[in-house]
């Protein structure tokens, strides 16, 4: 069982490109090409795939081979939400995905952009320091001084490029930007034009090409969407992404994703399903405040998302590989669990300890196995 | 593009799940889902094509007489066939059943009758009658009224759930819409019904023989097939697809009739219905969601109109949804429809567009109100109407007859009527009162009592008149119809309801609740039932182990015995003997008061009430022994609350069981104890039980006064509330008398120079009691601080 895996070609592949993480259109290039070649449905102007094919790319082909490739599911959750999102992107409204942290909003946005526009890299990261220039365009000052305002001196923003080439632009964490910066988007989204008063003639106005649209994401734990201006809200259709409802799916996802990440970082470690199951159970209990068998526990104030579970598994895996026997066990999980739970609230430690003393203890006796290991590993909880 | 045949989409495997329907034969079998516009459309098309001699429809056989009313041009949908059955078994209470069979504009059943009439066919319902169904299915009566059209089998089906996953729809209803409602117009009828049959066969595939038998589907199917066999000529038979799956192969059998002991035990009538009741999402036993959505589609309305209307409603409720949103939502519906390959948008396409466009923020925060509003909007508010000839359910007729006899209004009027009823002198007034009470008991909105004696809760029983305000409203009739399952007359329905509640109470074994319902029976004029209930309550009283409950029973029975005219229960000897029985049982339970911790006041009232009842029912002699012994036991029980001990003491003193000296000694003992509140509570119980003590035993007052004077101010403040309660028993004149004797006590033999304790001084001034309390608390606090800060020493000489 503890047989070590050979390093996979995927790991080697990513090493040769020298990227920590390839953009989706490269990672899934084969799938996208297959989908495109088999796609005989009508495509909205500027789209690489038909809406149906986009859906298949994200929700999978259900084992069916398309153009010689079986498309695996990438997003676990409400497929109807994916349908609505795709349909929205084909309309003249932007798509705004909101939800708790780590619910795959960014992932969805990346997949949508890759499938619809062939690129997911036209992205703006919203922060408190985001300026209007970063959204519209800026200048190469050397050229500006030498030539004056010319198209050559203009440095396009991702938004500018997306409009010009008719592609999707991703705007991450849009609510973190100052309101006046957010409002720059209002006219762009409604008129679909961008004025460049410094340039002359045709260059002074950029008309968005078909295929252009914006996918925004916003985190409901951050400064809320209610602080967005009504004008901007009106230009978006909202979709709420929920945490994965089905425990089985969550386990499968955590196992697959963490396996992939560990592979990519060239680490050789066994991640077994039973360990992941326990980790996901712990996360779900502390997230919902209720165990699967109906016992009340204290909800952690920290967000315990699926993404967080992946990252705990990932760091526990690294830990096991460098310091352990290459077998990812409950002890490594326990050590990294603490880090995940204890982020911004010291009370969470108390809750975690209480959880160990009640739920973990009980299960260590009734279910045994990994739960018993986990209970033994409680010594790693800080005093 | 011609739509894919639903059968192929649903059941791509070979061999197919179900054999294709036989066409071009004497009998055409049409499978349907209830409330489906698509089915209605194709049923009509097939009947026009086949031109049968008979159109037979699943539905209670005895409702065939109502078909003419269903087709009457004055009938406005939705309406419902309402059918009731009172099941009487030997040695068992009657069981009351009721069920609806709703019909709306787009019901396939109605379409079948309409087009059947058009082509000159004979029309009939062919399912079991409701009583037959109840007997065959062994239906358990429950509170809710059932639907004869529920389609639970579809929601439960594993097979359908699999198809939902494969075809990316949420549930069996959405699957139905996706396959049929969204594209029925361009479809060939045969292909349509083959698809419906496959869909329903998937639903049925989870049923085994025993489940079929348990729900009596086999009996019903045999009966329906029998109806087919018994007519000649071409037949179209329209049934729920669940049955059509097997119907061609079923062997017909005549249903076994149910013999009724009384014609009124079963009824089948047509009544108006409304969309709220039709919507399963409102928790009704119905098979459909969002009736208004389908109604609009049936009427040829556009989705744009729906979007506009919903947007306006959201706006008027404070949400934002401007024209831009309406355009965006319409586009979204249109794009979703195309994306999902629908010819016309489904309910889910519509709601999905609402989700995308009208919810500005998180679905579980900002979305909640919007979605609730949407759901309500799609339910609609339509209410139907039936022509007068359709007749009215017997209970409504009975209501009208009775109300008219009593001179009460049975039509909607602007102002409410008022009736002042003289319960003691007018038989007619008594009848009116009982009529109102019966309606109240079965929760039919009509009259409200604004003033009057309440014999059931023993409140203001000395009042001679009742004042009722009343008005008839549409809800009166619909509520009446719902209660029709309890009986054909108000008396019957009220009695059935009462007995049902009484059964529960008897099972719980609380005698006071049982006796309360008996009082209710008499108040409603249900004397015959009252008697029977009395007999059943007897053993309950004998086994009830709560003093308060038994004593309350005793009081209520005593009241029944003596409230002669209004209740007319005084002639029942059994009332009298039961009151006595309850009294003795309560006497036996007096010592158990020692274990009572909470609701002291209730128990104290019960104890004193019990003693008073004795004077009214112990006509045959003195029950002194029966009462003195347990009271002594209570008084001597140091575990008992001082309130009860005080009360016991008061009652014993009233019986001359205690001398004035003994009494004074007891009082002094309690008041002088270390915990002054114990004394206060003792006096409270004492005064409650016998307030004449103040006059008959002046020594007691003296004792209290003495103790109060010796008391520290802190103690005084703690005991004051209890004493206040204790003396609140007195009438104003008695209070004056007590005050006089206390002030005599204070002045007599006292030096005018000696200041009384500050608290007592306060009482003789114009101070209120709370002033005094506050004052002494402040004084105590100040002196405490003074001591703490050593001020005393500073100013001490
Ligand atoms: N429902 C899901 N389906 C597939 N993967 C998921 C799902 N939920 C979470 N994940 C995993 O979580 C990872 C992180 O998600 P992502 O960063 O997209 O979340 P986010 O919603 O953008 O969070 P934040 O609000 O913190 O930006 C994804 O890359 C994926 O591995
Ligand atoms: Mg993100």
């Amino acid at each position: 069982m503890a047989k070590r895996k050979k390093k996979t070609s995927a790991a080697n592949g990513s090493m040769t490109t020298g990227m920590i993480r390839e953009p989706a259109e490269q990672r899934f290039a084969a799938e996208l090409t297959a989908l495109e070649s088999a796609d005989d449905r009508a495509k909205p102007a500027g789209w690489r795939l038909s809406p149906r094919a986009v859906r298949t790319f994200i929700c999978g082909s259900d084992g069916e081979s398309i153009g010689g490739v079986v498309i695996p599911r990438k997003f676990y959750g409400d497929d109807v939400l994916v349908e609505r999102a795709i349909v929205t992107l084909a309309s003249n409204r932007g798509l705004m995905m909101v939800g708790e942290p780590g619910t795959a909003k960014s992932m969805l946005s990346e997949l949508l952009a890759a499938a619809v526009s062939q690129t997911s890299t036209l992205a703006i990261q919203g922060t408190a320091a985001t300026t209007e220039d970063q959204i519209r365009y800026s200048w190469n000052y050397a050229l500006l001084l030498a030539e004056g305002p010319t198209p050559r001196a203009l440095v396009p923003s991702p938004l500018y490029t997306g409009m010009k080439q008719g592609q999707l632009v991703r705007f991450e964490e849009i609510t973190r930007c100052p309101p006046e910066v957010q409002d720059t988007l209002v006219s762009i989204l409604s008129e679909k034009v961008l004025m460049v008063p410094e340039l002359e003639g045709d260059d002074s106005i950029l008309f968005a090409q078909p295929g252009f649209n914006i996918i925004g994401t916003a985190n409901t734990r951050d400064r809320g969407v209610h602080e967005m201006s009504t004008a901007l809200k009106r230009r978006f259709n909202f979709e709420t992404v929920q945490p994965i409802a089905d425990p089985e799916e969550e386990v499968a996802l955590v196992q697959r994703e963490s396996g992939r990440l560990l592979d990519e970082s060239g680490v050789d470690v066994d991640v077994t399903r039973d360990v992941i199951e326990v980790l996901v159970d712990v996360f779900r209990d502390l997230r919902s405040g209720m165990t699967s068998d109906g016992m009340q526990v204290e909800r952690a104030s920290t967000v315990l998302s699926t993404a967080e579970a992946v990252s705990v598994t990932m760091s526990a895996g690294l830990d096991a590989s460098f310091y352990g026997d290459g077998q990812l066990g409950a002890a490594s999980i326990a050590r990294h669990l603490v880090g995940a739970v204890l982020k911004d609230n010291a009370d969470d430690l108390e809750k975690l300890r209480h959880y160990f003393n009640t739920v973990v203890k009980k299960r260590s006796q009734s279910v045994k196995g990994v739960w018993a290991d986990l209970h033994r590993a409680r010594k790693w909880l800080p005093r | 593009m011609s739509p894919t045949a639903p059968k192929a989409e649903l059941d791509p495997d070979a061999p197919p799940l179900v054999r294709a329907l036989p066409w071009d034969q004497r009998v055409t079998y049409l499978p349907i889902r209830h409330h489906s516009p698509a089915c209605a459309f194709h049923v009509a098309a097939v009947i026009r094509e086949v031109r049968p001699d008979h159109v037979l429809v699943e539905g209670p056989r005895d409702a065939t007489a109502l078909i003419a009313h269903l087709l009457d041009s004055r009938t406005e949908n939705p309406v419902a066939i309402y059918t009731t059955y009172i099941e009487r078994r030997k040695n068992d209470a009657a069981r009351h059943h009721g069920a609806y069979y709703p019909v709306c504009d787009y019901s396939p059943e109605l379409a079948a009758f309409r087009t059947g009439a058009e082509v000159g066919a004979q029309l009939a319902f062919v399912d079991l009658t409701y009583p037959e169904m109840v007997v065959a299915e062994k239906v358990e009566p429950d509170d809710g009224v059932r639907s004869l059209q529920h389609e639970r089998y579809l929601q439960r089906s594993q097979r359908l759930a699999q198809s939902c996953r494969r075809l990316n729809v949420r549930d069996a209803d959405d699957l139905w819409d996706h396959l049929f409602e969204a594209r029925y117009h361009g479809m060939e009828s045969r292909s349509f019904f083959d698809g419906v049959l496959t869909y329903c066969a998937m639903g049925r595939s989870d049923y085994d023989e025993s489940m079929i038998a348990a729900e009596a589907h086999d009996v019903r199917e045999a009966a329906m097939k029998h109806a087919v066999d018994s007519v000649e000529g071409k037949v179209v038979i329209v049934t729920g697809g669940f049955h059509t799956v097997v119907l061609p192969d079923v062997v017909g059998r005549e249903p076994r009739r149910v013999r009724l002991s009384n014609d009124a035990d079963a009824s089948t009538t047509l009544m108006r219905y409304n969309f709220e009741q039709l919507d399963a999402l409102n928790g009704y036993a119905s098979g459909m969601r969002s009736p208004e959505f389908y109604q609009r589609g049936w009427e040829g309305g556009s989705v744009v109109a729906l979007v506009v209307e919903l947007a306006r409603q959201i706006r008027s409720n404070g949400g934002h949804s401007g024209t831009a949103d309406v355009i965006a939502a319409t586009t979204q519906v249109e794009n979703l429809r195309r994306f999902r390959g629908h010819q016309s948008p489904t309910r889910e396409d519509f709601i999905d567009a609402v989700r995308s466009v009208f919810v500005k923020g998180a679905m579980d925060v900002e979305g909640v109100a919007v979605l609730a509003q949407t759901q309500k909007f799609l339910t609609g508010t339509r209410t139907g109407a039936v022509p007068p000839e359709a007749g009215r359910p017997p209970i409504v007729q009975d209501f009208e007859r009775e109300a008219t006899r009593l001179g009460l209004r049975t039509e909607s009027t602007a102002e409410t009527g008022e009736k002042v009823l003289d319960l003691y002198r007018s038989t007619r007034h008594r009848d009116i009162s009982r009529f109102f009470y019966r309606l109240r008991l079965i929760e039919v909105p009509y009259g409200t009592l604004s003033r009057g004696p309440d014999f059931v809760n023993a409140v203001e029983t000395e009042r001679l008149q009742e004042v009722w305000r009343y008005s008839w409203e549409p809800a009166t009739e619909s509520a009446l119809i719902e209660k029709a399952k309890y009986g054909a007359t108000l008396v019957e329905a009220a009695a059935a309801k009462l007995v049902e509640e009484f059964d529960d109470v008897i099972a719980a074994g609380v005698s006071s609740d049982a006796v309360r319902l008996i009082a209710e029976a008499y108040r409603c004029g249900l004397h015959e039932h009252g008697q029977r209930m009395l007999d059943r309550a007897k053993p309950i009283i004998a086994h009830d182990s709560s003093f308060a409950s038994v004593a309350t029973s005793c009081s209520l029975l005593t009241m029944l015995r003596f409230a002669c005219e209004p209740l007319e229960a005084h002639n029942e000897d059994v009332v009298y003997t039961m009151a006595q029985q309850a009294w003795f049982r309560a006497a036996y339970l007096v010592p158990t008061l020692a274990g009572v911790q909470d609701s002291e006041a209730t128990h104290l009232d019960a104890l004193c009430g019990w003693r008073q009842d004795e004077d009214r029912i112990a006509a045959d002699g003195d029950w002194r022994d029966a009462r003195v012994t347990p009271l002594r036991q209570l008084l001597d029980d140091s575990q008992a609350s001082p309130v009860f001990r005080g009360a016991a003491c008061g009652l014993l003193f009233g019986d001359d069981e205690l001398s004035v000296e003994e009494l004074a000694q007891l009082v002094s003992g309690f008041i002088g104890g270390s915990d002054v509140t114990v004394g206060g509570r003792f006096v409270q119980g004492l005064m409650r039980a016998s307030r004449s003590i103040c006059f008959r035993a002046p020594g007691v007052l003296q004792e209290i006064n003495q103790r109060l004077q010796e008391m520290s101010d802190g103690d005084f403040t703690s005991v004051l509330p209890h004493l206040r309660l204790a003396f609140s028993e007195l009438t104003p004149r008695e209070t004056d008398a007590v005050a006089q004797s206390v002030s005599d006590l204070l002045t007599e033999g006292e030096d005018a120079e000696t200041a009384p304790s500050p608290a007592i001084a306060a009482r003789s001034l114009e101070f209120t009691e709370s002033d005094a309390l506050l004052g002494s608390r402040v004084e105590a606090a100040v002196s405490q601080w003074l001591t703490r800060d050593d001020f005393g020493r500073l100013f001490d000489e």
Side-chain angles (χ1 to χ4, degrees), chain B residues 17 65 89 285 323 339 400 456 506 685 703 710 712 728 745 777:
Chain B
L17 178 66
R89 302 178 180 185
T323 311
F339 181 92
E400 280 166 1
V456 168
I506 291 288
E703 199 58 48
E710 294 163 7
S712 76
S728 66
L745 279 175
R777 282 214 195 98

Side-chain angles (χ1 to χ4, degrees), chain B residues 743-786:
Chain B
S743 101
D744 289 350
L745 279 175
L746 286 176
T747 42
E748 140 195 323
E750 274 212 347
D751 198 331
E753 301 293 302
T754 344
S757 125
I760 289 183
R763 295 191 75 176
S764 51
L765 291 173
E766 288 281 293
F767 276 35
T768 65
E769 182 184 302
S770 53
D771 290 334
L773 258 179
L774 182 66
S776 51
R777 282 214 195 98
V778 168
E779 193 183 291
V782 168
S783 62
Q784 216 179 14
W785 291 330
L786 288 177

